[in-house]
Amino acid sequence: MAILAVNAGSSSLKFSLHPLKDGQVQPFVLSGNIQGLEPQGSPMMSWAYLGKKHAEPLNVSAGSTSFAAALQGVRALIDRLEAAPDIEAVAHRVVHGGGVFTASVLVTDAVLEKLATFNSLAPLHQPHNLEGIRQFRAAFPQLPQIACFDTAFHATMPEVDYAFALPKALQDQGVRRYGFHGLSYQYIMSVLQERTIRGRGRVVMAHLGNGASLCAALAGNSVATTMGFSALDGLMMGTRSGSLDAGVLLYLMEQGWSYAQMEKLLYKQSGLLGVSGISADMRKLRADGSENAQRAIDQFTHRVIRETGALVACLGGLDALAFSGGIGENDAVLREHVCERLSWLGIRLDAQRNQEATGKEAYAVHAPDSSVEIWVIPTDEGRVAAREAAALLQAQRSVQAAQIA
């Protein structure tokens, strides 16, 4: 048996198949990504199975949608793979659980209806996450569909961190800091705690990619994070602004900007893309070499350094720093610059190991005399979602067995 983990986005669908052995979730045997699901896109499915990589275009039949074609493609792929394990459940990454869902849940109509009320809090992600669940429920009606939340890992944050300085009536309505990238942080933390005793201490984790955030954890629990009420807060990102003086929005409103214009600006036209005017891709900016590209890189790096310092202050010190995400895992120059600026903490980077880290499963890059351990850990949100689903199913079976007894 196996758990199928799914991450449905606006223009892509990521999936991975995780076998179960003695009730434990194993690393994926199949992983894939379908790109080009946006309107007028050209869907292309790429996947790796048992170490071999493949790619093929997907045909969208008349009257169908790209997403439906993607779903059919995944189903057909699994059916034709030799020795592929049977699927026991589908685990879905869902960005926002609000203050209602602080642990993974079995999806019902009522759950879907409630989750849809959070669409405006994560407009780039939540509607597509939920559409993925609806499509998979229709295609696999016999399988449990389980929602696993990015916000759940941050349910341990104290009120002093998650509350805004607004009237309490607004907090009672759900206007508060939630935090995101929780499945990623849950995986990073599990790896750290397996590899080093420092993982049980004061840790800052940096999930740096097109979406970017930091998380401070103490004894394995989230105590502070840079993202807040929405996935706009905190660090500068690929196309998102990060933290912004609310007065800027008041000014834009005064100038006649509409809600739609401001939403487009903050979510799709800011960040690395907005500052550089070139690209949201850090790799392209590194290769560009222009003044505008360097300005965007410097600003991104500065925000990581500044927010890390704030989280270290919340923790009262630092035992370990972990980099993950597309930029965090692959950009050795950024890791070097961040660690240089944080050298006052006793951080010392091993230059050679830092260059070697790309492509490693989990790699320590600190020098022997570093007071803080530094790790590069490729994240695996799908495996965490699969673990959550397996644990939920096992708990349900235990309850049913007890009721029968």
Side-chain angles (χ1 to χ4, degrees), residues 253-267:
M253 291 172 65
E254 188 178 54
Q255 298 301 307
W257 283 55
S258 68
Y259 173 89
Q261 286 176 307
M262 289 192 290
E263 182 184 53
K264 186 175 181 181
L265 170 71
L266 298 177
Y267 277 102

Side-chain angles (χ1 to χ4, degrees), residues 109-401:
D109 290 340
V111 168
L112 269 178
E113 184 178 351
K114 185 62 180 179
L115 289 175
T117 66
F118 306 136
N119 282 356
S120 62
L121 304 185
L124 293 187
H125 304 88
Q126 192 85 351
H128 307 292
N129 297 159
L130 302 189
E131 181 59 23
I133 295 176
R134 294 187 189 98
Q135 294 280 354
F136 274 83
R137 284 183 88 196
F140 300 97
Q142 77 284 8
L143 294 180
Q145 308 289 322
I146 296 168
C148 308
F149 303 101
D150 260 344
T151 49
F153 182 73
H154 303 292
T156 54
M157 289 193 302
E159 183 177 9
V160 71
D161 193 82
Y162 70 67
F164 293 125
L166 294 170
K168 191 173 184 302
L170 288 173
Q171 181 177 316
D172 293 341
Q173 294 175 31
V175 181
R176 48 157 288 182
R177 185 182 300 278
Y178 292 101
F180 300 93
H181 291 137
L183 296 180
S184 177
Y185 290 133
Q186 191 172 338
Y187 180 79
I188 297 166
M189 182 55 62
S190 69
V191 173
L192 272 179
Q193 292 189 336
E194 288 174 0
R195 299 297 183 98
T196 172
I197 190 68
R198 297 288 190 95
R200 299 180 176 90
R202 301 163 299 181
V203 177
V204 169
M205 296 173 283
H207 179 107
L208 307 178
N210 190 52
S213 70
L214 303 175
C215 174
L218 186 63
N221 295 316
S222 173
V223 296
T225 186
T226 56
M227 279 186 171
F229 176 69
S230 72
L232 276 174
D233 201 10
L235 301 179
M236 174 180 173
M237 304 177 220
T239 62
R240 283 172 264 172
S241 64
S243 295
L244 189 69
D245 183 344
V248 173
L249 302 185
L250 295 177
Y251 169 78
L252 294 178
M253 291 172 65
E254 188 178 54
Q255 298 301 307
W257 283 55
S258 68
Y259 173 89
Q261 286 176 307
M262 289 192 290
E263 182 184 53
K264 186 175 181 181
L265 170 71
L266 298 177
Y267 277 102
K268 298 182 178 181
Q269 296 177 329
S270 299
L272 290 172
L273 175 63
V275 174
S276 70
I278 300 168
S279 176
D281 191 324
M282 181 66 83
R283 295 166 297 184
K284 292 182 179 178
L285 296 179
R286 291 279 185 205
D288 186 273
S290 68
E291 182 178 343
N292 286 341
Q294 191 59 49
R295 181 183 297 113
I297 293 170
D298 290 345
Q299 194 168 329
F300 182 93
T301 306
H302 175 75
R303 293 299 303 182
V304 173
I305 295 163
R306 175 173 169 166
E307 297 300 325
T308 300
L311 293 184
V312 171
C314 292
L315 291 170
L318 188 64
D319 297 308
L321 172 65
F323 292 92
S324 193
I327 298 173
E329 295 167 23
N330 298 298
D331 196 324
V333 175
L334 179 127
R335 294 194 298 265
E336 178 185 352
H337 289 168
V338 169
C339 290
E340 282 178 357
R341 291 284 300 279
L342 295 174
S343 61
W344 55 274
L345 287 167
I347 287 180
R348 302 289 183 270
L349 192 69
D350 184 310
Q352 181 175 343
R353 291 185 67 84
N354 185 45
Q355 292 296 326
E356 295 170 347
T358 301
K360 300 290 195 304
E361 182 177 344
Y363 206 63
V365 295
H366 50 274
D369 62 342
S370 181
S371 299
V372 177
E373 290 191 5
I374 312 164
W375 289 79
V376 179
I377 302 176
T379 193
D380 191 345
E381 293 161 313
R383 190 171 182 181
V384 172
R387 286 172 179 169
E388 290 286 302
L392 182 61
L393 293 176
Q394 181 57 45
Q396 288 185 332
R397 284 192 288 265
S398 297
V399 170
Q400 292 169 351

Side-chain angles (χ1 to χ4, degrees), residues 67-86:
F67 200 99
L71 180 61
Q72 293 169 3
V74 173
R75 188 173 187 176
L77 172 62
I78 293 173
D79 287 343
R80 74 177 192 250
L81 292 177
E82 294 182 6
D86 293 332

